[in-house]
Amino acid sequence: MLGLKHGVNYLVDYQTCWKLEFEAESRRIKAALGKLAKGVEHYGSTAVEGMRAKPILDILVGVEPLELWKECFGPLESLGYDYAEHAGVPGHFVFGKGRDKSERTHLLHIVQFEGPSWSSNLQLRDALRQDEHLRERYVAAKEAAIASAPTGRVQYNELKRAFIDEAKALLRDQSWRRRQAPQDLITGGGFRDTHDRSTYGRKVVDHGPTPSGWGTDRQLLALRRR
């Protein structure tokens, strides 16, 4: 169900039990951390139904202020987690666990609650859940990374990072423009392109040129189609 040996990279088909495992683990984490955990979210590829993923459950825990992450040590150790000091993810304090020290079944990332890492990761998760084409492009990027780096987690993560960073940047831009746009230019959810007349695969009315300074959604569409 879950478990990947250190340094080995491969994807498996989506498993419905991943959602159930997160729900059970989330209850344990909330009970252990109490008020320290402002939020506990399932993120990463195992949080996206139908998407191939590494069989490791990714969990996002938000604390505020971020300095409180140190107080999570003891409670997380009681659940079997150990601190991955050299995980190398900026702004993240990473804890992992497995059935033994040779593997990981869960990776828990502590970040600032509602900070940039919290928001961007959940925004990407939600976009992947909504958009089949974006999922396909992300899986293709991960498969290409595995082909180049079948062993070595650091190299694999670096190879897929360009896709993730570009997707997050475009999603941030979309979010900003929704807040700025007149209501009559906003469709009901998803991403719209006033020039390509599409929003996540649905047809919309062309309201004319996008106002100066907003940009367009062509980049996101290109990212989905690559």
Side-chain angles (χ1 to χ4, degrees):
M1 180 179 71
L2 289 170
L4 193 61
K5 295 294 183 182
H6 291 302
V8 178
N9 301 315
Y10 60 81
L11 306 180
V12 299
D13 290 338
Y14 177 81
Q15 305 290 315
T16 55
C17 57
W18 290 341
K19 180 179 179 180
L20 299 175
E21 175 58 26
F22 166 74
E23 291 170 352
E25 190 70 4
S26 176
R27 289 192 291 270
R28 290 190 283 267
I29 292 166
K30 289 175 181 177
L33 295 181
K35 293 182 179 180
L36 285 170
K38 298 295 186 183
V40 179
E41 292 280 349
H42 189 188
Y43 84 115
S45 297
T46 61
V48 181
E49 184 174 350
M51 187 169 176
R52 287 172 57 78
K54 297 195 308 295
I56 302 176
L57 206 68
D58 287 311
I59 300 169
L60 202 63
V61 174
V63 299
E64 179 61 41
L66 185 56
E67 288 74 17
L68 290 177
W69 78 270
K70 295 178 182 178
E71 297 186 24
C72 299
F73 255 99
L76 291 177
E77 285 180 345
S78 73
L79 296 179
Y81 286 90
D82 60 90
Y83 178 47
E85 183 175 3
H86 303 293
V89 184
H92 290 222
F93 298 94
V94 182
F95 293 75
K97 75 173 183 178
R99 285 176 288 267
D100 56 51
K101 294 295 184 180
S102 71
E103 70 170 8
R104 294 298 195 197
T105 55
H106 299 67
L107 283 174
L108 184 151
H109 294 235
I110 299 179
V111 301
Q112 183 180 356
F113 181 61
E114 295 186 341
S117 288
W118 175 271
S119 300
S120 64
N121 279 294
L122 297 185
Q123 197 172 38
L124 178 58
R125 177 202 65 186
D126 293 346
L128 288 166
R129 284 175 171 176
Q130 295 169 14
D131 192 314
E132 179 181 359
H133 298 293
L134 196 61
R135 291 196 298 273
E136 290 172 353
R137 299 286 73 75
Y138 186 28
V139 170
K142 291 195 293 183
E143 289 175 339
I146 288 172
S148 297
T151 60
R153 202 64 53 77
V154 173
Q155 185 182 3
Y156 164 78
N157 287 334
E158 284 301 317
L159 287 169
K160 69 172 184 173
R161 188 177 302 280
F163 182 96
I164 294 172
D165 288 348
E166 185 176 356
K168 285 182 177 181
L170 291 168
L171 288 164
R172 284 194 301 270
D173 180 62
Q174 289 286 342
S175 179
W176 181 85
R177 285 193 285 113
R178 279 202 190 89
R179 291 195 297 270
Q180 301 298 318
Q183 195 61 37
D184 65 343
L185 291 183
I186 300 177
T187 60
F191 294 91
R192 57 160 297 160
D193 185 318
T194 56
H195 300 279
D196 289 344
R197 298 183 175 88
S198 62
T199 174
Y200 267 42
R202 298 187 298 275
K203 296 294 183 181
V204 298
V205 176
D206 189 341
H207 293 277
T210 303
S212 175
W214 288 5
T216 72
D217 297 335
R218 292 183 184 279
Q219 289 175 292
L220 181 63
L221 292 168
L223 183 65
R224 290 169 51 200
R225 292 167 181 164
R226 277 210 298 266

